Amino acid sequence: MSGREAHGAGAGPTGPEVGATGAGPVADPADVFDAFDAGLSPDAQHVAGLGLAADAQDLLFRRARTANTFTPEPVTDDQIRAIYDLVRFGPTGANAQPLRIVLVRSPEARARLVARVSANNAPKVTDAPLVVILAADTGFHETLPRVFPHNPGARDWYADPAFRESQARFNAAIQIGYFLVGIRAAGLSAGPMGGFDAPGVDKDFFPDGRLRSQLVVNIGRPGPDAWQDRLPRLDADEVISTV
């Protein structure tokens, strides 16, 4: 079966393809990049079964890339607030919301962070218009009476510090995924990096021990030679199974 057949055509169990002008074959996602370059209409590029317009699909996923260089254009606090105000509605366990976003603005803080990242990442952190540290708040349970009010005992679920930290890290990681997509929604690019000394970053930036660094992310408008070649993605048949 071809990729086009595998992804279906026209109406299906979920109804007609969203945004289509009529029944007919649906563009294979693997062909979407060429479709944009060839100047095909958004309808021709739309993937069946999605309620998101083709240009939004492109902005958030298909054409979005990890940036390695950035222009000098600043990234403002208002932009970051707008991103957070969008992505904060993503779900977390018990509505815990443990992600904390630290904007590294001062030259002194930037220098401390550069000293804690890998040699390959140091120039990127030095030059990016904005760098953020994404951390998990191990004291997230303190806000549960406010954000999970229908269960007054929820705070007590996390009395064990080790379990609380594991849940903070897990749910913060979920929120990090939302945040990265939110950066794309703002028309910006992200350069997430795991190559850093996490205990060192925690010591330098979170000395009270409450926050745990998860990821360092450069944010801005992509600069010259920002992209590497896109790496292969697994096919749906390799990922999705039915039991």
mmCIF file of all heavy atoms in Angstrom, residues 144-171:
data_model
loop_
_atom_site.group_PDB
_atom_site.id
_atom_site.type_symbol
_atom_site.label_atom_id
_atom_site.label_comp_id
_atom_site.label_asym_id
_atom_site.label_seq_id
_atom_site.Cartn_x
_atom_site.Cartn_y
_atom_site.Cartn_z
ATOM 1 N N LEU A 144 -1.491 23.152 45.140
ATOM 2 C CA LEU A 144 -2.604 22.260 44.807
ATOM 3 C C LEU A 144 -3.928 22.683 45.428
ATOM 4 O O LEU A 144 -4.980 22.541 44.776
ATOM 5 C CB LEU A 144 -2.262 20.818 45.192
ATOM 6 C CG LEU A 144 -1.218 20.118 44.309
ATOM 7 C CD1 LEU A 144 -0.963 18.703 44.809
ATOM 8 C CD2 LEU A 144 -1.654 20.092 42.851
ATOM 9 N N PRO A 145 -3.962 23.191 46.660
ATOM 10 C CA PRO A 145 -5.268 23.634 47.182
ATOM 11 C C PRO A 145 -5.923 24.699 46.304
ATOM 12 O O PRO A 145 -7.154 24.802 46.270
ATOM 13 C CB PRO A 145 -4.911 24.196 48.561
ATOM 14 C CG PRO A 145 -3.693 23.425 48.968
ATOM 15 C CD PRO A 145 -2.904 23.257 47.687
ATOM 16 N N ARG A 146 -5.123 25.468 45.556
ATOM 17 C CA ARG A 146 -5.670 26.516 44.691
ATOM 18 C C ARG A 146 -5.978 25.994 43.289
ATOM 19 O O ARG A 146 -7.006 26.353 42.708
ATOM 20 C CB ARG A 146 -4.670 27.672 44.613
ATOM 21 C CG ARG A 146 -5.100 28.792 43.674
ATOM 22 C CD ARG A 146 -4.354 30.083 43.975
ATOM 23 N NE ARG A 146 -2.913 29.900 43.924
ATOM 24 C CZ ARG A 146 -2.182 30.106 42.817
ATOM 25 N NH1 ARG A 146 -2.776 30.470 41.695
ATOM 26 N NH2 ARG A 146 -0.881 29.951 42.847
ATOM 27 N N VAL A 147 -5.093 25.137 42.740
ATOM 28 C CA VAL A 147 -5.278 24.708 41.348
ATOM 29 C C VAL A 147 -6.016 23.373 41.234
ATOM 30 O O VAL A 147 -6.412 22.979 40.136
ATOM 31 C CB VAL A 147 -3.918 24.618 40.613
ATOM 32 C CG1 VAL A 147 -3.222 25.964 40.619
ATOM 33 C CG2 VAL A 147 -3.018 23.539 41.212
ATOM 34 N N PHE A 148 -6.190 22.663 42.356
ATOM 35 C CA PHE A 148 -6.926 21.393 42.365
ATOM 36 C C PHE A 148 -7.913 21.422 43.540
ATOM 37 O O PHE A 148 -7.914 20.540 44.403
ATOM 38 C CB PHE A 148 -5.928 20.239 42.503
ATOM 39 C CG PHE A 148 -6.387 18.922 41.934
ATOM 40 C CD1 PHE A 148 -6.616 18.762 40.577
ATOM 41 C CD2 PHE A 148 -6.570 17.822 42.760
ATOM 42 C CE1 PHE A 148 -7.018 17.547 40.055
ATOM 43 C CE2 PHE A 148 -6.967 16.593 42.247
ATOM 44 C CZ PHE A 148 -7.194 16.458 40.892
ATOM 45 N N PRO A 149 -8.772 22.456 43.588
ATOM 46 C CA PRO A 149 -9.548 22.726 44.808
ATOM 47 C C PRO A 149 -10.623 21.703 45.123
ATOM 48 O O PRO A 149 -11.061 21.613 46.278
ATOM 49 C CB PRO A 149 -10.175 24.104 44.523
ATOM 50 C CG PRO A 149 -10.264 24.182 43.024
ATOM 51 C CD PRO A 149 -9.038 23.457 42.531
ATOM 52 N N HIS A 150 -11.060 20.925 44.149
ATOM 53 C CA HIS A 150 -12.141 19.978 44.403
ATOM 54 C C HIS A 150 -11.681 18.779 45.224
ATOM 55 O O HIS A 150 -12.499 17.980 45.674
ATOM 56 C CB HIS A 150 -12.748 19.492 43.088
ATOM 57 C CG HIS A 150 -11.764 18.846 42.171
ATOM 58 N ND1 HIS A 150 -10.859 19.563 41.426
ATOM 59 C CD2 HIS A 150 -11.531 17.535 41.881
ATOM 60 C CE1 HIS A 150 -10.120 18.727 40.720
ATOM 61 N NE2 HIS A 150 -10.505 17.504 40.978
ATOM 62 N N ASN A 151 -10.355 18.640 45.422
ATOM 63 C CA ASN A 151 -9.836 17.555 46.260
ATOM 64 C C ASN A 151 -8.896 18.160 47.307
ATOM 65 O O ASN A 151 -7.691 18.281 47.077
ATOM 66 C CB ASN A 151 -9.097 16.520 45.414
ATOM 67 C CG ASN A 151 -8.849 15.235 46.189
ATOM 68 O OD1 ASN A 151 -8.532 15.266 47.373
ATOM 69 N ND2 ASN A 151 -8.990 14.099 45.519
ATOM 70 N N PRO A 152 -9.418 18.528 48.463
ATOM 71 C CA PRO A 152 -8.600 19.196 49.479
ATOM 72 C C PRO A 152 -7.420 18.361 49.981
ATOM 73 O O PRO A 152 -6.448 18.915 50.497
ATOM 74 C CB PRO A 152 -9.595 19.461 50.612
ATOM 75 C CG PRO A 152 -10.948 19.426 49.967
ATOM 76 C CD PRO A 152 -10.828 18.428 48.855
ATOM 77 N N GLY A 153 -7.487 17.045 49.801
ATOM 78 C CA GLY A 153 -6.414 16.194 50.289
ATOM 79 C C GLY A 153 -5.312 15.934 49.283
ATOM 80 O O GLY A 153 -4.370 15.183 49.577
ATOM 81 N N ALA A 154 -5.383 16.538 48.112
ATOM 82 C CA ALA A 154 -4.424 16.231 47.048
ATOM 83 C C ALA A 154 -2.986 16.556 47.459
ATOM 84 O O ALA A 154 -2.043 15.866 47.047
ATOM 85 C CB ALA A 154 -4.790 16.984 45.777
ATOM 86 N N ARG A 155 -2.806 17.576 48.245
ATOM 87 C CA ARG A 155 -1.451 17.952 48.662
ATOM 88 C C ARG A 155 -0.759 16.794 49.368
ATOM 89 O O ARG A 155 0.452 16.582 49.221
ATOM 90 C CB ARG A 155 -1.524 19.171 49.578
ATOM 91 C CG ARG A 155 -0.180 19.798 49.923
ATOM 92 C CD ARG A 155 -0.371 20.981 50.868
ATOM 93 N NE ARG A 155 0.850 21.736 51.054
ATOM 94 C CZ ARG A 155 1.842 21.386 51.853
ATOM 95 N NH1 ARG A 155 1.754 20.250 52.546
ATOM 96 N NH2 ARG A 155 2.926 22.136 51.958
ATOM 97 N N ASP A 156 -1.522 16.018 50.128
ATOM 98 C CA ASP A 156 -0.946 14.931 50.908
ATOM 99 C C ASP A 156 -0.496 13.756 50.041
ATOM 100 O O ASP A 156 0.256 12.890 50.511
ATOM 101 C CB ASP A 156 -1.954 14.437 51.948
ATOM 102 C CG ASP A 156 -2.321 15.517 52.957
ATOM 103 O OD1 ASP A 156 -1.492 16.434 53.161
ATOM 104 O OD2 ASP A 156 -3.434 15.461 53.517
ATOM 105 N N TRP A 157 -0.939 13.691 48.778
ATOM 106 C CA TRP A 157 -0.497 12.623 47.896
ATOM 107 C C TRP A 157 1.012 12.688 47.665
ATOM 108 O O TRP A 157 1.630 11.692 47.309
ATOM 109 C CB TRP A 157 -1.196 12.718 46.547
ATOM 110 C CG TRP A 157 -2.684 12.599 46.579
ATOM 111 C CD1 TRP A 157 -3.469 12.137 47.595
ATOM 112 C CD2 TRP A 157 -3.582 12.973 45.523
ATOM 113 N NE1 TRP A 157 -4.790 12.192 47.242
ATOM 114 C CE2 TRP A 157 -4.902 12.701 45.977
ATOM 115 C CE3 TRP A 157 -3.415 13.492 44.247
ATOM 116 C CZ2 TRP A 157 -6.027 12.938 45.201
ATOM 117 C CZ3 TRP A 157 -4.532 13.733 43.463
ATOM 118 C CH2 TRP A 157 -5.837 13.460 43.928
ATOM 119 N N TYR A 158 1.578 13.865 47.847
ATOM 120 C CA TYR A 158 2.977 14.091 47.489
ATOM 121 C C TYR A 158 3.839 14.337 48.723
ATOM 122 O O TYR A 158 4.829 15.065 48.672
ATOM 123 C CB TYR A 158 3.060 15.277 46.525
ATOM 124 C CG TYR A 158 2.215 15.067 45.293
ATOM 125 C CD1 TYR A 158 0.927 15.607 45.207
ATOM 126 C CD2 TYR A 158 2.682 14.309 44.227
ATOM 127 C CE1 TYR A 158 0.142 15.402 44.085
ATOM 128 C CE2 TYR A 158 1.895 14.095 43.100
ATOM 129 C CZ TYR A 158 0.631 14.644 43.035
ATOM 130 O OH TYR A 158 -0.148 14.437 41.935
ATOM 131 N N ALA A 159 3.477 13.703 49.840
ATOM 132 C CA ALA A 159 4.242 13.891 51.069
ATOM 133 C C ALA A 159 5.654 13.318 50.953
ATOM 134 O O ALA A 159 6.595 13.851 51.563
ATOM 135 C CB ALA A 159 3.500 13.241 52.244
ATOM 136 N N ASP A 160 5.812 12.254 50.171
ATOM 137 C CA ASP A 160 7.141 11.650 50.011
ATOM 138 C C ASP A 160 7.981 12.497 49.061
ATOM 139 O O ASP A 160 7.595 12.696 47.893
ATOM 140 C CB ASP A 160 7.001 10.235 49.465
ATOM 141 C CG ASP A 160 8.357 9.592 49.218
ATOM 142 O OD1 ASP A 160 9.060 9.325 50.194
ATOM 143 O OD2 ASP A 160 8.696 9.395 48.030
ATOM 144 N N PRO A 161 9.124 13.006 49.499
ATOM 145 C CA PRO A 161 9.915 13.915 48.653
ATOM 146 C C PRO A 161 10.386 13.292 47.349
ATOM 147 O O PRO A 161 10.406 13.963 46.311
ATOM 148 C CB PRO A 161 11.098 14.299 49.548
ATOM 149 C CG PRO A 161 10.615 14.085 50.946
ATOM 150 C CD PRO A 161 9.680 12.907 50.866
ATOM 151 N N ALA A 162 10.776 12.018 47.376
ATOM 152 C CA ALA A 162 11.265 11.380 46.152
ATOM 153 C C ALA A 162 10.140 11.243 45.132
ATOM 154 O O ALA A 162 10.335 11.502 43.937
ATOM 155 C CB ALA A 162 11.865 10.018 46.478
ATOM 156 N N PHE A 163 8.972 10.831 45.588
ATOM 157 C CA PHE A 163 7.833 10.713 44.680
ATOM 158 C C PHE A 163 7.430 12.088 44.154
ATOM 159 O O PHE A 163 7.131 12.252 42.965
ATOM 160 C CB PHE A 163 6.653 10.065 45.399
ATOM 161 C CG PHE A 163 5.398 9.989 44.571
ATOM 162 C CD1 PHE A 163 5.339 9.163 43.450
ATOM 163 C CD2 PHE A 163 4.283 10.743 44.895
ATOM 164 C CE1 PHE A 163 4.192 9.092 42.677
ATOM 165 C CE2 PHE A 163 3.124 10.676 44.134
ATOM 166 C CZ PHE A 163 3.079 9.849 43.020
ATOM 167 N N ARG A 164 7.465 13.076 45.035
ATOM 168 C CA ARG A 164 7.083 14.434 44.621
ATOM 169 C C ARG A 164 8.035 14.949 43.544
ATOM 170 O O ARG A 164 7.600 15.548 42.558
ATOM 171 C CB ARG A 164 7.084 15.363 45.828
ATOM 172 C CG ARG A 164 6.538 16.747 45.520
ATOM 173 C CD ARG A 164 6.257 17.524 46.794
ATOM 174 N NE ARG A 164 7.460 17.861 47.530
ATOM 175 C CZ ARG A 164 7.778 17.386 48.726
ATOM 176 N NH1 ARG A 164 6.971 16.526 49.340
ATOM 177 N NH2 ARG A 164 8.878 17.764 49.326
ATOM 178 N N GLU A 165 9.331 14.709 43.717
ATOM 179 C CA GLU A 165 10.282 15.159 42.699
ATOM 180 C C GLU A 165 10.064 14.433 41.378
ATOM 181 O O GLU A 165 10.127 15.047 40.306
ATOM 182 C CB GLU A 165 11.722 14.961 43.156
ATOM 183 C CG GLU A 165 12.729 15.394 42.090
ATOM 184 C CD GLU A 165 14.178 15.366 42.556
ATOM 185 O OE1 GLU A 165 14.415 15.269 43.769
ATOM 186 O OE2 GLU A 165 15.056 15.450 41.679
ATOM 187 N N SER A 166 9.801 13.124 41.440
ATOM 188 C CA SER A 166 9.576 12.389 40.190
ATOM 189 C C SER A 166 8.356 12.917 39.450
ATOM 190 O O SER A 166 8.361 13.033 38.217
ATOM 191 C CB SER A 166 9.428 10.890 40.474
ATOM 192 O OG SER A 166 8.183 10.593 41.109
ATOM 193 N N GLN A 167 7.321 13.271 40.193
ATOM 194 C CA GLN A 167 6.115 13.806 39.558
ATOM 195 C C GLN A 167 6.333 15.226 39.050
ATOM 196 O O GLN A 167 5.792 15.619 38.013
ATOM 197 C CB GLN A 167 4.942 13.761 40.539
ATOM 198 C CG GLN A 167 4.452 12.361 40.833
ATOM 199 C CD GLN A 167 3.994 11.647 39.579
ATOM 200 O OE1 GLN A 167 3.020 12.050 38.950
ATOM 201 N NE2 GLN A 167 4.683 10.585 39.195
ATOM 202 N N ALA A 168 7.139 15.990 39.780
ATOM 203 C CA ALA A 168 7.475 17.338 39.310
ATOM 204 C C ALA A 168 8.215 17.269 37.980
ATOM 205 O O ALA A 168 7.909 18.001 37.030
ATOM 206 C CB ALA A 168 8.323 18.062 40.360
ATOM 207 N N ARG A 169 9.189 16.387 37.899
ATOM 208 C CA ARG A 169 9.970 16.252 36.669
ATOM 209 C C ARG A 169 9.105 15.729 35.519
ATOM 210 O O ARG A 169 9.202 16.205 34.382
ATOM 211 C CB ARG A 169 11.167 15.337 36.897
ATOM 212 C CG ARG A 169 12.260 15.939 37.774
ATOM 213 C CD ARG A 169 13.443 15.006 37.862
ATOM 214 N NE ARG A 169 14.555 15.527 38.630
ATOM 215 C CZ ARG A 169 15.495 16.342 38.145
ATOM 216 N NH1 ARG A 169 15.448 16.727 36.883
ATOM 217 N NH2 ARG A 169 16.482 16.768 38.908
ATOM 218 N N PHE A 170 8.268 14.746 35.811
ATOM 219 C CA PHE A 170 7.434 14.151 34.769
ATOM 220 C C PHE A 170 6.473 15.187 34.188
ATOM 221 O O PHE A 170 6.377 15.367 32.969
ATOM 222 C CB PHE A 170 6.656 12.971 35.355
ATOM 223 C CG PHE A 170 5.667 12.354 34.401
ATOM 224 C CD1 PHE A 170 6.099 11.498 33.397
ATOM 225 C CD2 PHE A 170 4.314 12.627 34.511
ATOM 226 C CE1 PHE A 170 5.193 10.925 32.513
ATOM 227 C CE2 PHE A 170 3.402 12.067 33.632
ATOM 228 C CZ PHE A 170 3.841 11.220 32.632
ATOM 229 N N ASN A 171 5.757 15.888 35.058
ATOM 230 C CA ASN A 171 4.766 16.841 34.579
ATOM 231 C C ASN A 171 5.407 18.087 33.981
ATOM 232 O O ASN A 171 4.878 18.666 33.034
ATOM 233 C CB ASN A 171 3.800 17.202 35.705
ATOM 234 C CG ASN A 171 2.780 16.115 35.964
ATOM 235 O OD1 ASN A 171 1.924 15.841 35.131
ATOM 236 N ND2 ASN A 171 2.889 15.463 37.110
#
